[in-house]
Amino acid sequence: MKINKTIAGLAAMTAVALAGGAVADPDEDELVINGEIAIVTQTAAPAHLEGSLDEIYSGWRFRADGTQAMEMDDFDNPGMLGVEVGEELFAKAWGSEGKSCADCHDGAESLADVRPTYPKWNDAKEQVYTVQMQINDCLTERMGAEKEKYDSSSMLNLEALIASVARGKPVNVAIDGPAQSTWEQGKEIYYTRYGQLELSCANCHEDNYGNLIRADHLSQGQINGFPTYRLKNAKLNGVQGRFKGCVRDTRAETFSPGSPEFIALELYVASRGNGLSVEGPSVRN
């Protein structure tokens, strides 16, 4: 058993140094979308990260110039195709009540304060809600429609629309009050080592951001840009789907999108980005 743990530990250290230990600090480029939406991509870390990080950076700052440029213009950002579909879904009548999102909300722009503050505590449901959970409540309780699967294409397109109208607004996720116990659970998950490689979220995104892993630079793992269009799989990706991939990459049994564990983790990770701008749908590798 001790030998296996030693091997796993060596594998974990080797994973970050596969490409020769190359380091790339976040660049100094500034993100302005469409020449008019200024995005905060670097700011002082929130108080609850004292002792861990002094500054926080959007993942955009770790990307190559070509990838960065795609996000700077909506005509070049493939994630905006999802926003267009989201606009169609927003106007669509769902379910037995014959209602659309637009029947209750005065355009998607009226939801501009949603993405910066979620996940958040839902008093009526007595639990922390993500944006996708809130969308599902609207579908099932107000529209008489079937519940959408977590991270389904329809969900991600609607979430991309909601994120797009909030671009430039600061992330401001509450972690006190009734949400605190869920936040503490998410923090514990963030620092827990998983899998045969015995890696935690913090090992990559706090201890080794800027290091080259395989052919990509590790970022701080901020989620202010989600949903994000990944060039790797040529589609929009959700936060919890990305969590699933990360845990799986440690060679561990992973949680499922929509699970209590990933809801807690999303709350915690979102709070690590308090002060950065919403910038979704972003473009990443």
Side-chain angles (χ1 to χ4, degrees), residues 187-207:
K187 181 178 180 180
E188 181 179 359
I189 292 170
Y190 189 87
Y191 287 100
T192 296
R193 293 176 181 267
Y194 289 98
Q196 293 177 332
L197 295 183
E198 295 186 348
L199 288 172
S200 69
C201 306
N203 289 142
C204 286
H205 298 299
E206 188 172 292
D207 301 336

Side-chain angles (χ1 to χ4, degrees), residues 241-280:
R242 191 69 214 100
F243 290 165
K244 180 179 178 179
C246 283
V247 177
R248 182 192 60 229
D249 287 347
T250 70
R251 301 177 190 170
E253 291 288 335
T254 187
F255 307 108
S256 298
S259 65
E261 292 84 2
F262 275 172
I263 291 168
L265 184 59
E266 182 175 343
L267 175 64
Y268 176 70
V269 177
S271 77
R272 291 174 67 91
N274 278 354
L276 295 174
S277 294
V278 173
E279 61 175 89

Side-chain angles (χ1 to χ4, degrees), residues 12-246:
M13 290 185 288
T14 302
V16 177
L18 283 177
V23 177
D25 291 329
D27 64 25
E28 299 296 325
D29 294 345
E30 295 185 0
L31 175 54
V32 180
I33 298 174
N34 300 331
E36 58 184 22
I37 307 174
I39 302 294
V40 174
T41 57
Q42 174 184 356
T43 191
H48 65 79
L49 290 182
E50 184 177 0
S52 299
L53 294 173
D54 295 324
E55 290 187 295
I56 54 175
Y57 301 92
S58 162
W60 183 85
R61 295 280 293 273
F62 296 86
R63 303 280 63 85
D65 289 347
T67 305
Q68 288 181 333
M70 294 176 74
E71 193 178 322
M72 297 176 74
D73 191 322
D74 283 354
F75 286 105
D76 294 330
N77 183 346
M80 294 305 294
L81 296 174
V83 172
E84 292 181 9
V85 176
E87 290 173 338
E88 295 173 1
L89 294 173
F90 192 84
K92 168 188 171 182
W94 300 64
S96 59
E97 297 301 311
K99 290 185 177 181
S100 68
C101 303
D103 287 327
C104 292
H105 303 289
D106 186 17
E109 292 76 11
S110 67
L111 301 175
D113 291 327
V114 170
R115 179 64 180 84
T117 58
Y118 272 73
K120 67 186 298 184
W121 181 259
N122 184 311
D123 284 328
K125 302 297 181 178
E126 297 186 333
Q127 67 180 109
V128 169
Y129 256 43
T130 65
V131 171
Q132 292 196 29
M133 292 167 70
Q134 187 61 60
I135 291 172
N136 260 334
D137 263 19
C138 289
L139 290 176
T140 58
E141 297 181 9
R142 299 186 182 185
M143 302 182 189
E146 293 293 322
K147 182 179 181 180
E148 278 287 320
K149 183 179 178 181
Y150 216 95
D151 273 359
S152 70
S153 59
S154 293
M155 268 295 188
L156 292 175
N157 289 332
L158 283 168
E159 193 173 15
L161 172 64
I162 292 170
S164 72
V165 299
R167 288 180 295 179
K169 287 182 171 287
V171 176
N172 185 25
V173 173
I175 63 175
D176 56 358
Q180 185 172 356
S181 62
T182 304
W183 182 83
E184 294 285 358
Q185 179 190 4
K187 181 178 180 180
E188 181 179 359
I189 292 170
Y190 189 87
Y191 287 100
T192 296
R193 293 176 181 267
Y194 289 98
Q196 293 177 332
L197 295 183
E198 295 186 348
L199 288 172
S200 69
C201 306
N203 289 142
C204 286
H205 298 299
E206 188 172 292
D207 301 336
N208 283 292
Y209 70 87
N211 284 331
L212 194 63
I213 182 169
R214 301 189 184 96
D216 196 11
H217 284 105
L218 288 167
S219 72
Q220 288 185 343
Q222 299 290 353
I223 60 174
N224 57 303
F226 276 82
T228 184
Y229 186 93
R230 294 194 73 194
L231 301 176
K232 177 180 179 179
N233 58 13
K235 66 177 183 178
L236 281 174
N237 292 255
V239 170
Q240 296 195 18
R242 191 69 214 100
F243 290 165
K244 180 179 178 179
C246 283

